[in-house]
Amino acid sequence: LQDIRLTLSSAAGPVNILGGVSLSVVAGEAIALLGPSGSGKSSLLMVAAGLEAPTGGRVSIAGTDITKLGEDELARFRRGHIGIVFQSFHLIPTMTALENVAVPLELAGARDAFDKAKAELDTVGLGKRLDHYPGQLSGGEQQRVALARAIAPRPSVLFADEPTGNLDTHTGEEISELLFALHTRAKTTLFLVTHEERLARQCSRIVRLKDGLIVADERQ
């Protein structure tokens, strides 16, 4: 990320969310963005993942400047390179766990999408819940499905936005352990947004944000 700026409109006038953030992340690295609510960390993740266009600056992933891509090109790039796990799971409610995980694989043209989806669900401990819908699963189980869906296509970068934020402490610890295990197994870059110091310290690097700016960059 080079000099990323993000300004949004509001009834009270322009609001500066990011004030010029530059950040380089090495392939395979696990990096945590840590900061209080309103610090800009989730906005920075959205820009880095190509879900929000920056007001200024450049985002380059795996050698591609994604800020120059149109919507269709960006969608295709995300399909091949990016996995995302949200705090609120964002599973498709009318699809089973197996179907939810198979969707990105099918979109990528995988012929064995359902076999791969089943294998990923087995890995996250849901091999016996394949035919359950999101409404039939606990919060922790839904987040396991979301993790399996994000990691199944083997993305270059796995973005996780407060992945334990909607879970109780015990379940959150289980999900965080699973998240780092999947990161290690798939050898994917992990870009984690959190306000939890404990979770951030499981990464090899912590970047602290305040008021839309990086105030510290710590390697563990």
Side-chain angles (χ1 to χ4, degrees), residues 155-169:
S156 304
V157 187
L158 176 61
F159 291 93
D161 190 6
E162 300 280 10
T164 62
N166 276 348
L167 306 173
D168 62 71
T169 301

Side-chain angles (χ1 to χ4, degrees), residues 76-111:
R76 283 191 289 271
F77 181 85
R78 281 196 302 265
R79 180 186 68 190
H81 293 274
I82 291 173
I84 307 175
V85 180
F86 296 100
Q87 179 177 344
S88 300
F89 320 136
H90 290 302
L91 300 177
I92 302 171
T94 56
M95 289 188 173
T96 64
L98 183 64
E99 291 167 339
N100 265 281
V101 178
V103 164
L105 294 167
E106 288 189 303
L107 290 174
R111 293 182 179 180

Side-chain angles (χ1 to χ4, degrees), residues 56-214:
R58 186 167 72 93
V59 179
S60 180
I61 298 177
T64 297
D65 182 351
I66 68 170
T67 48
K68 291 183 178 180
L69 301 181
E71 278 300 316
D72 289 347
E73 292 175 307
L74 195 52
R76 283 191 289 271
F77 181 85
R78 281 196 302 265
R79 180 186 68 190
H81 293 274
I82 291 173
I84 307 175
V85 180
F86 296 100
Q87 179 177 344
S88 300
F89 320 136
H90 290 302
L91 300 177
I92 302 171
T94 56
M95 289 188 173
T96 64
L98 183 64
E99 291 167 339
N100 265 281
V101 178
V103 164
L105 294 167
E106 288 189 303
L107 290 174
R111 293 182 179 180
D112 53 351
F114 280 85
D115 289 337
K116 287 183 176 179
K118 182 182 182 302
E120 290 299 332
L121 285 167
D122 284 337
T123 298
V124 299
L126 291 180
K128 296 182 179 180
R129 308 283 270 170
L130 304 179
D131 297 324
H132 287 70
Y133 292 90
Q136 299 171 314
L137 301 173
S138 68
E141 288 172 332
Q142 289 186 63
Q143 194 61 298
R144 286 172 182 266
V145 176
L147 280 169
R149 180 180 62 182
I151 207 73
R154 295 297 182 268
S156 304
V157 187
L158 176 61
F159 291 93
D161 190 6
E162 300 280 10
T164 62
N166 276 348
L167 306 173
D168 62 71
T169 301
H170 177 70
T171 305
E173 289 176 352
E174 290 182 341
I175 291 298
S176 64
E177 288 177 7
L178 181 57
L179 173 67
F180 285 100
L182 291 172
H183 150 69
T184 300
R185 180 171 65 88
K187 297 181 175 62
T188 188
T189 304
L190 176 60
F191 197 96
L192 170 68
V193 162
T194 184
H195 65 275
E196 297 182 47
E197 186 85 26
R198 177 196 58 78
L199 183 57
R201 291 209 169 275
Q202 295 183 58
C203 293
S204 56
R205 184 177 171 196
I206 299 176
V207 172
R208 298 180 188 272
L209 268 72
K210 184 178 180 181
D211 298 329
L213 294 170
I214 292 176

